[in-house]
Amino acid sequence: MNKLPDNTTVEQWDTIITPRKSLFELNFKEVWQYRDLLLLFVRRDFVAMYKQTVLGPLWYLVQPILTTLMFTVVFSRIAKISTDGIPPMLFYLAGITNWNYFASCLKSVSGTFRSNQGIFGKVYFPRLVTPLSIVISNMIKYAIQLLLFAGFYIYFEFVSSTAQVNAYALLFPLLVVLLAGLGLGFGLVITSMTTKYRDLIFLLQFGVQLAMYATPVIYPLSQIPEQYQWVAALNPMTSVIETFKYGFLGQGTFSWGHLAYSFCFMVALMLAGIVIFNRTEKNFMDTV
Amino acid sequence: MNSPGVALRLRVEEKNMSKTVIKVENLSKQYRLGLVGTGTLSHDINRWWHLVRGKEDPYLKIGETNDRASRGNSEYVWALQDINFEVKEGEVLGIIGKNGAGKSTLLKLLSKVTAPTTGSIKAKGRIASLLEVGTGFHPELTGRENIYLNGTILGMSKAEVSSKLDEIVAFAGVERYLDTPVKRYSSGMTVRLGFAVAAHLEPEILIVDEVLAVGDAEFQRKAVGKMKEVSKEGGRTVLFVSHNMASVKKLCSKSILLDNGVIKEHGPTEFIVNRYLSKGSLNEKPYLKKKSYQIYSETILIKKIGYFDKVFHFTFFSKVLHERIAIVCKIYSTDEVLIFKTSTSPIWSTKNFPMKGECTFQLDIKQLNLIEGDYYIGLEVTSPNIKRILRIDNAFPFTVHYSNIYKGSKRLRIGEDGFIMAPHNWKKIS
């Protein structure tokens, strides 16, 4: 707000609406004011999902179980891809659970503007609330799927006890932040870019599929020849999945360098995403 | 930036010295017509190239006033152009205008749904906008869950909604259905629930778009009443857009008349509404001049309407012969109350006329005794099998001056004292 020299007629305005926001005018205070809405969105997404179903949230378990079985048959039994001595079921489940959290955040967030144009066109609230609520409601799904992973983990501990949880598992909270941040960051960029030109949407559909194969989800990083491992590590998801497996299953590749790289990547991506998102939210109703 | 449109800077009369809560300055909004496609990309690149070289956006210079009926040359139109006004605290401002005049665009800008192209809006206090009732209702969630969801979308906190839950439910009249998914509600119930939530918002500034045009008559009365209460007792500022002149008159003290994206008039509602209704007919010259109405492939056009020597004259022109047509003439007050209706059709005890070429009809009303004020005439031409050939609701505005058939000295006012006068007597009989 401009402070005029003569303070007799300085008017205090609570809201000033102008054509463009400055690049870094990020109103986190406003998002905080709308925290109740954020939680209600999370609740809505979660509750609406299983209304009128018998199994309810148990449906969240069906997809990872079936995918894991499928991968076990195809990649382990038929293609005979090594899992570094970890029971294949456990190995794939670890990968899929984490990858799915990232992928579902990415996919839902990148549809923010298009799927909410009804609400966005009628009422103002900080738009960032919507993608944040998506990340959180997916986190609930992720937590349920982690319970499944924990169940399998205990079972395999009894049967074979090959997997060894170690101190690196304490990095888990950081990994969750990385997964959420990467999904959110990519999603924000994509949803902002697709309000006017929808081309990216087509890429997104199979892009996420392909990206999974470029990430050590169904194979360990150690399977890649050493001199090319740095290429795989350029993918910020690589170190996240590998660290998870290293910490909980005791097998894999761990490198502080890779992890630090992923973290910096995530922070930069998030900032870029939020800035682009903020610029887009002002006018997207005209072009979406 | 110079704009071709006429910018009217009208100052709100300084009747009360209360503070200004909304200040709109040089507000404009430009839209691009047509599809978003490769052409858009080339414009975007061009725009970016100008920006890089530090030049002005080349597409802001072009653009025309938004007259949707005439075909323009430019792909860009100004939906709003150089809008300036102020709203004082506690004022209820009506925004009226034809379809496409820019009313909704203005509300969208005020409620931050989309950003202006140029200019600024400054406001004091929390703004809540009600461009639709029940925004964000999820069909699978129950009434209670949706009250919370909708309330927080509109800017309330969860605790605020909780404290008002009983009132909201009572206002909407949906106690029994509170824990039933909204998808099982009738559409009226959904709308009532949505309005009930919105009516219990407590923002300093409330922006409302035609939401009163929903629900049954009883609910509409309730809604208008609630809006009045909000502004009168709550001392809150309300901006209200509507096509319903009666509710604009009931609610708003001041109004803005928008036309083709510019403010045409700004002043007391009574005056603006009358101006709008008379303008409506004068502006829409096509009715009287150019366009003929083609319905059922028959063509009739009104050439002239006039009032000479206490008699109305209607001149029509018809290319083809209509054997028997009936003319219906209706007199409305400016708030769209039908006061009088008459027809040449036999069921109104006169007769049908043939029509070909230019024909003038005369309507002589001996004793209508309208109270002084503004009225307008609506015209219809129908054929015997009740096919409507032509209908113009707002064909001819007229004003009645100095009319009082009573002996008393009271100056009669339209609406307050009814619409018509009738010769009558009072007698004490016991």
Side-chain angles (χ1 to χ4, degrees), chain A residues 14 17 36 43 197 282 286, chain B residues 29 44 115 121 125 145 158:
Chain A
D14 299 325
I17 304 169
D36 284 343
R43 204 183 122 78
Y197 304 107
K282 287 208 106 179
D286 307 340
Chain B
K29 177 75 183 175
D44 277 354
I121 299 168
E145 288 165 327
K158 215 174 156 183

Side-chain angles (χ1 to χ4, degrees), chain A residues 11-20 30 33-34 36-37 40-41 43-44 47-48 51-52 118-125 127 196-197 281-287, chain B residues 21 23 29 31 36 40-41 44 109-125 131-132 135-136 138 140-141 145 148-149 152-153 157-158 183-184:
Chain A
E11 289 201 81
Q12 292 291 318
W13 300 100
D14 299 325
T15 317
I16 297 182
I17 304 169
T18 47
R20 273 185 197 284
E30 206 182 13
Q33 280 167 358
Y34 277 82
D36 284 343
L37 178 62
L40 278 164
F41 271 154
R43 204 183 122 78
R44 176 197 67 184
V47 172
K51 280 247 162 141
Q52 274 194 24
I119 300 185
F120 285 4
K122 293 296 178 192
V123 66
Y124 175 80
F125 51 87
R127 307 306 190 210
K196 203 159 188 182
Y197 304 107
E281 72 168 34
K282 287 208 106 179
N283 272 317
F284 91 99
M285 273 316 296
D286 307 340
T287 50
Chain B
V21 285
K23 192 172 186 177
K29 177 75 183 175
Y31 279 116
V36 171
T40 330
L41 184 61
D44 277 354
L109 296 182
L110 283 165
S111 50
K112 292 211 269 184
V113 163
T114 183
T117 312
T118 62
S120 69
I121 299 168
K122 292 169 186 163
K124 282 176 196 151
L131 304 193
E132 177 189 69
T135 307
H138 195 291
E140 296 290 344
L141 299 184
E145 288 165 327
Y148 277 99
L149 188 62
T152 45
I153 285 179
S157 71
K158 215 174 156 183
K183 64 179 175 180
R184 309 245 179 275

Side-chain angles (χ1 to χ4, degrees), chain B residues 25 34 57 98 163 211 238 267 278 299 324 331 366 378 430:
Chain B
E25 291 173 308
D57 186 340
K98 286 184 295 184
S163 68
V211 284
V238 181
S278 58
T299 320
R324 292 179 304 141
I331 298 180
K366 282 279 179 311
S430 67

Side-chain angles (χ1 to χ4, degrees), chain B residues 198-235:
Chain B
H200 290 84
L201 280 172
E202 283 186 350
E204 282 80 22
I205 300 167
L206 183 65
I207 298 171
V208 186
D209 189 9
E210 302 238 56
V211 284
L212 301 179
V214 293
D216 54 17
E218 189 211 327
F219 183 73
Q220 278 192 31
R221 259 201 306 283
K222 219 167 151 185
V224 171
K226 182 76 195 172
M227 299 268 304
K228 255 197 140 138
E229 186 192 311
V230 161
S231 60
K232 284 256 164 67
E233 285 157 32

Side-chain angles (χ1 to χ4, degrees), chain A residues 15 26 32 54-55 58-59 69 73 98-99 106 110 119 132 135 147 151 176 205 213 221 228 230 246 265 269 276:
Chain A
T15 317
L26 308 174
W32 175 246
V54 178
L55 292 181
L58 287 180
W59 277 109
L69 284 175
V73 171
N98 290 293
W99 177 262
L106 169 57
S110 51
I119 300 185
L132 287 176
V135 170
L147 285 179
V176 177
Q205 292 304 324
Y213 294 100
L221 187 61
Y228 295 121
W230 67 273
Y246 189 75
F265 191 100
L269 183 69
I276 299 176

